[in-house]
Amino acid sequence: MDNLILIGFMGAGKTTVGKLLAREKGLQFVDTDDRIVAEQKQSIPDIFSKYGESFFRDLETDLLRRMKEDTRHSVISVGGGMPVREENRQLLRALGCVIYLTAEKETILGRVKSDGSRPMLNGEDLEQRVERLMRERESSYRKAAHLCVRTDGRNVHQVAQIIRQETRRILDA
Ligand code: S3P
């Protein structure tokens, strides 16, 4: 168990918390969305609009399979939809300690904008979309996670500190 993996809904803070944790601990930071964008040489909205969501989901699974072989001593932030597939949940748990960053719908709505960078949130009525997706995904997040950390009312430093405390044995190993 030598990677720390952050999962959770869009806007839960996976990337910001992950970068901070990695910097503090001298670990590498890996963001699955960034890797997909670099490998495909196009943005996430472009991938969704040209090839559709299921193509993107296949890219996510393919990346996780490869990461199982080549990624160690890293903090990994994964896209919000990654834990929905059963195979992905198994791959995530095999990669390391999976931490679910939770947040209430109101917190998420305060953090995300319908700005075009997140195709899953495009369209009418952001609040309804967020509510539905959060409801649909909650059990997948719980099944994938070794540990859940609440982020509501906490800043990035406080969340990172809780994770450090809870995972000390893993990080210092
Ligand atoms: C998605 C979340 C995004 C990105 C893609 C799909 C999702 O990542 O992978 O837009 O389905 O929840 P973030 O959770 O980092 O925003």
Side-chain angles (χ1 to χ4, degrees):
M1 292 260 266
D2 55 3
N3 295 298
L4 279 187
I5 301 128
L6 300 177
I7 65 168
F9 203 77
M10 293 166 268
K14 302 174 297 266
T15 303
T16 3
V17 171
K19 280 184 178 164
L20 180 64
L21 271 177
R23 195 168 64 236
E24 286 174 347
K25 287 306 212 178
L27 298 170
Q28 203 195 333
F29 175 73
V30 181
D31 182 296
T32 57
D33 284 340
D34 288 351
R35 272 195 67 172
I36 289 172
V37 167
E39 289 176 3
Q40 296 299 310
K41 299 186 177 61
Q42 47 194 324
S43 69
I44 305 263
D46 281 350
I47 297 170
F48 268 74
S49 69
K50 284 187 201 159
Y51 311 109
E53 182 185 347
S54 69
F55 179 82
F56 176 75
R57 300 301 173 201
D58 289 342
L59 293 177
E60 288 190 310
T61 302
D62 176 64
L63 174 60
L64 274 192
R65 288 185 189 137
R66 285 182 284 128
M67 286 176 79
K68 194 161 166 281
E69 307 307 319
D70 68 18
T71 306
R72 302 275 180 279
H73 309 296
S74 300
V75 178
I76 306 166
S77 165
V78 308
M82 188 77 97
V84 172
R85 278 191 184 176
E86 157 72 18
E87 179 182 357
N88 292 358
R89 291 198 293 274
Q90 285 179 14
L91 287 165
L92 287 168
R93 288 177 70 92
L95 257 179
C97 180
V98 182
I99 300 154
Y100 172 23
L101 297 186
T102 75
E104 296 295 329
K105 182 187 74 181
E106 289 68 28
T107 306
I108 295 291
L109 284 170
R111 292 178 188 163
V112 299
K113 279 186 280 172
S114 198
D115 60 5
S117 69
R118 287 176 163 124
M120 297 300 290
L121 299 182
N122 287 350
E124 280 168 34
D125 206 334
L126 178 65
E127 184 170 351
Q128 264 184 26
R129 260 167 202 272
V130 167
E131 192 174 306
R132 179 178 55 79
L133 276 175
M134 285 182 82
R135 198 177 45 241
E136 285 171 4
R137 290 177 175 182
E138 174 68 10
S139 73
S140 297
Y141 291 143
R142 298 254 166 214
K143 278 189 259 179
H146 293 104
L147 174 73
C148 298
V149 176
R150 193 179 160 89
T151 65
D152 305 281
R154 291 178 169 146
N155 66 34
V156 59
H157 295 280
Q158 292 167 322
V159 175
Q161 191 188 358
I162 293 168
I163 295 174
R164 277 200 310 277
Q165 281 164 1
E166 299 282 338
T167 60
R168 192 164 292 139
R169 275 172 301 119
I170 301 157
L171 286 175
D172 292 342

